[in-house]
Amino acid sequence: MVTSIAVAGASGYAGGEILRLLLSHPAYVRGELRIGALTAGSSAGATVGELMPHLKPLAERVLEPTSLDVLQGHDVVFLALPHGHSAELAQQLDASTTIVDCAADFRLESAEQWQKYYQSEHAGTWPYGLPEMPGNRERIATSTRVAIPGCFPTGATLATLPAVQAGLVEPHLTITSVTGVSGAGKKAQVSLLGAETMSNAKAYSVAGQHRHTPEIKQNLQAFTKDSVSINFTPVLAPMPRGILTVASAPVKPGTGAEDVRRAYKRAYASETFVALLPLGQQPQTQHVLGSNLCHVQVELDETAGTVVMTSAIDNLTKGTAGAAVQCMNLVRGFDEAAGLPLVGLAP
């Protein structure tokens, strides 16, 4: 049985990363997985080799226009499209088609929050594609529709959830995430020009304005009865990819350093793609680049009375495309880790 796969938005950073991972997937190597239609918007008609020379095995493939006719008939469709473009296609594809959406269209449960941050009609909510969150792995595996998390919520959730779920902190979190420029996608924008980003760092969408703020809150609120508040600040850094997240929250009385450490060991003991680092070692983006790993550290600052939680991910791999392939593996019955690198690219 051969599984056929289409990638809509294949010319973007997320789409290209999905293809990079699929080309190393054991099922592809065995001939059990076939890469079918590759679509694009303004790049339709170009070859993969023209736009993404690093994907040599697909160099001669021509990108087709993104349409229902082109995507229909595949077993799996990855939607790597801008926010707001997935819903219409998804609603027209066959119910039996596995759809993995890398955009935000189906992440949020609250229609009010969606309309506030995305200014359009809420399309609904799909199972959330972060298997490491308790209960999610089972929901993903039994669904044909999966909403892949945002890259910032992935790093922030994995860094903070064990402390919040165990009730070790007051869930009033200050979160700062430093990101590479590829997180903004492959589009022409003055603020993303090399002259604007090299040797420069800047905060943006501060004070609750970033679209990923309600997603982070949604993830944490599901695991505590206390009211969660998030002060989230993204920072653009002069690097192509990677996200370093630093979060802190007030520690609850009676909580010791061992209690905090124990909660994280318990949460991630059986997780292939989350590594709790030894004490004294901090996550670094260079150690996870190109991999599907999330490195996590947690420490108790007794002087300040806070728990400090940090994580590092590759925004294009674990933060987007790696999570998409991981979820496809669960839905289609492949080994969850199939095709997903456990080794980073440092230095």
Side-chain angles (χ1 to χ4, degrees):
M1 183 74 175
V2 177
T3 299
S4 62
I5 290 177
V7 179
S11 61
Y13 288 138
E17 186 76 349
I18 290 170
L19 292 173
R20 180 180 76 87
L21 297 173
L22 291 177
L23 288 170
S24 298
H25 198 290
Y28 178 80
V29 175
R30 293 193 302 265
E32 298 169 5
L33 186 155
R34 180 178 65 83
I35 298 176
L38 306 178
T39 80
S42 60
S43 298
T47 65
V48 170
E50 290 177 78
L51 302 176
M52 297 173 286
H54 64 294
L55 301 176
K56 187 176 184 300
L58 300 172
E60 302 304 318
R61 296 286 300 276
V62 176
L63 296 168
E64 303 179 70
T66 301
S67 69
L68 178 64
D69 289 343
V70 172
L71 299 174
Q72 196 75 272
H74 293 83
D75 299 308
V76 179
V77 175
F78 289 100
L79 298 177
L81 302 170
H83 303 314
H85 290 72
S86 300
E88 184 177 357
L89 276 173
Q91 290 163 359
Q92 297 179 77
L93 287 166
D94 292 339
S96 61
T97 304
T98 298
I99 306 176
V100 182
D101 184 23
C102 296
D105 294 38
F106 299 99
R107 295 174 191 162
L108 294 181
E109 297 172 1
S110 167
E112 180 182 354
Q113 289 296 301
W114 170 266
Q115 289 161 3
K116 175 182 177 180
Y117 282 90
Y118 294 92
Q119 293 83 49
S120 62
E121 185 177 349
H122 186 231
T125 308
W126 289 355
Y128 193 70
L130 189 57
E132 292 81 5
M133 287 177 63
N136 278 15
R137 185 170 277 110
E138 294 74 20
R139 284 190 283 271
I140 294 165
T142 56
S143 177
T144 59
R145 303 289 190 270
V146 183
I148 299 305
C151 51
F152 286 130
T154 295
T157 301
L158 293 176
T160 61
L161 182 55
V164 172
Q165 184 182 20
L168 303 178
V169 296
E170 300 291 347
H172 309 305
L173 294 104
T174 298
I175 304 173
T176 300
S177 293
V178 181
T179 181
V181 295
S182 63
K186 189 189 290 187
K187 60 178 178 287
Q189 189 171 318
V190 171
S191 63
L192 299 177
L193 292 172
E196 303 291 332
T197 57
M198 289 188 296
S199 302
N200 186 35
K202 67 173 183 178
Y204 65 99
S205 297
V206 303
Q209 297 177 60
H210 197 280
R211 289 173 165 181
H212 287 174
T213 302
E215 191 178 336
I216 298 170
K217 182 177 179 179
Q218 174 181 283
N219 292 351
L220 300 179
Q221 190 64 73
F223 294 93
T224 178
K225 294 180 180 178
D226 297 331
S227 179
V228 174
S229 63
I230 303 292
N231 181 352
F232 174 58
T233 303
V235 176
L236 187 66
M239 56 187 188
R241 54 204 284 173
I243 294 177
L244 178 68
T245 294
V246 181
S248 64
V251 66
K252 286 191 174 180
T255 299
E258 282 303 313
D259 299 318
V260 175
R261 191 79 182 168
R262 192 178 304 114
Y264 277 73
K265 287 181 178 178
R266 183 169 58 246
Y268 295 135
S270 61
E271 292 297 344
T272 301
F273 296 116
V274 183
L276 177 63
L277 299 182
L279 281 173
Q281 184 178 3
Q282 279 293 322
Q284 299 181 46
T285 56
Q286 69 168 343
H287 295 155
V288 296
L289 292 185
S291 80
N292 201 51
L293 289 173
C294 176
H295 283 182
V296 173
Q297 184 57 277
V298 60
E299 297 184 56
L300 176 61
D301 183 340
E302 296 182 357
T303 302
T306 60
V307 175
V308 180
M309 302 151 279
T310 55
S311 70
I313 63 170
D314 184 324
N315 58 293
L316 294 181
T317 316
K318 183 56 177 167
T320 310
V325 173
Q326 186 178 349
C327 290
M328 179 206 71
N329 286 340
L330 286 167
V331 175
R332 303 300 301 187
F334 298 118
D335 183 281
E336 184 178 338
L340 297 171
L342 285 167
V343 180
L345 298 174

